[in-house]
Amino acid sequence: MKENIDSIYNMYFQNIYRFLLSLCHDHYTAEDLVQETFFRAHLTLEVYEGKSIKTWLFTVAYRAYIDHYRKQKRIVIKDDKFFTGIFDKKKYILDDLVANEEIEEIVRLLDDIPEKHKYAVLLHDFHGLTQQEAAEVMSVKPSHYKVLLFRGRQAIRRRKAGENE
C-alpha cells in the first residue's frame, strides 16, 4: 500500500498543487493543503472503490480547501488596538478593585463620626459636588460646610492612623 500512495503522490502532486494554488492564491497554503489532501487520501485509500483516482484526489483536495476556507472564516485577526484594549480593560479592572477597596475602607472609617461630618465628606469627596453645591444640599453656609468637611476628613485621618499603629 505504501508504494501505491507514493506512486499516486508522484503522479498527481503537480496537478493537485496547481489546482489548490488556483483556489487559494498562496504558495504556502497550497503546499499545506496538498499535504492534507494526500494525508486524507492515504487514510481512505483502502476503502476507495472508485474508477478514477485523479477525480477522487481532486474531490479530496477540494474538500480540504473548503475545510481550510471555513476555518479561516472563523478566525478573525485583530489589530494591535484590540489587544491594547484588552490590557487597558485589565488595568481598569485592577484600578476599580483598588478604588473599591479604598472606598470600603473609608466607608468603614466613616461609621462612627458625626452625621454632619459624614455627609460633608460623602457629598464632596465621593459624589463630586463642589463645596458650594454640598453646602446647599446640607442647608448650611459655605463657611460652615468647609468646617464640617475639614473635621470629617480629620476624623477619618485620625481613625486611619489609629488602625495602622
Side-chain angles (χ1 to χ4, degrees), residues 66-79:
I66 293 297
D67 290 345
H68 171 77
Y69 178 75
R70 286 179 180 156
K71 286 179 189 173
Q72 292 304 316
K73 263 178 52 176
R74 284 185 266 155
I75 297 172
V76 178
I77 298 176
K78 303 289 185 181
D79 59 347

Side-chain angles (χ1 to χ4, degrees), residues 10-160:
N10 291 330
M11 188 178 293
Y12 296 108
F13 172 80
Q14 288 297 324
N15 293 329
I16 299 297
Y17 171 76
R18 280 191 228 118
F19 172 67
L20 290 168
L21 184 62
S22 69
L23 291 175
C24 66
H25 305 290
D26 180 52
H27 167 72
Y28 298 108
T29 305
E31 283 184 341
D32 290 344
L33 290 173
V34 167
Q35 297 305 317
E36 179 68 21
T37 299
F38 282 100
F39 175 70
R40 290 180 183 187
H42 176 70
L43 292 177
T44 58
L45 190 59
E46 292 176 3
V47 294
Y48 172 70
E49 296 176 358
K51 295 179 182 174
S52 171
I53 289 185
K54 186 175 182 178
T55 307
W56 175 66
L57 278 176
F58 274 84
T59 304
V60 172
Y62 181 71
R63 289 185 180 149
Y65 169 73
I66 293 297
D67 290 345
H68 171 77
Y69 178 75
R70 286 179 180 156
K71 286 179 189 173
Q72 292 304 316
K73 263 178 52 176
R74 284 185 266 155
I75 297 172
V76 178
I77 298 176
K78 303 289 185 181
D79 59 347
D80 291 338
K81 294 176 186 175
F82 174 79
F83 294 108
T84 57
I86 290 174
F87 294 125
D88 288 346
K89 287 178 187 174
K90 287 183 180 179
K91 179 184 169 195
Y92 293 135
I93 291 171
L94 182 62
D95 290 345
D96 287 345
L97 287 174
V98 171
N100 286 341
E101 287 177 5
E102 290 174 352
I103 289 171
E104 288 175 11
E105 180 184 3
I106 292 173
V107 167
R108 189 176 40 76
L109 294 172
L110 285 171
D111 282 343
D112 296 330
I113 65 173
E115 292 296 315
K116 286 187 176 186
H117 298 161
K118 184 189 302 186
Y119 293 146
V121 171
L122 288 172
L123 289 172
H124 185 270
D125 294 342
F126 283 89
H127 297 289
L129 273 64
T130 64
Q131 291 183 1
Q132 181 67 35
E133 293 168 336
E136 289 175 19
V137 169
M138 292 182 67
S139 302
V140 295
K141 293 182 181 177
S143 58
H144 183 61
Y145 175 79
K146 288 180 184 180
V147 171
L148 294 172
L149 182 61
F150 173 77
R151 289 181 181 164
R153 288 176 176 167
Q154 192 176 32
I156 291 171
R157 280 189 213 107
R158 271 185 271 149
R159 289 197 65 205
K160 193 170 184 178

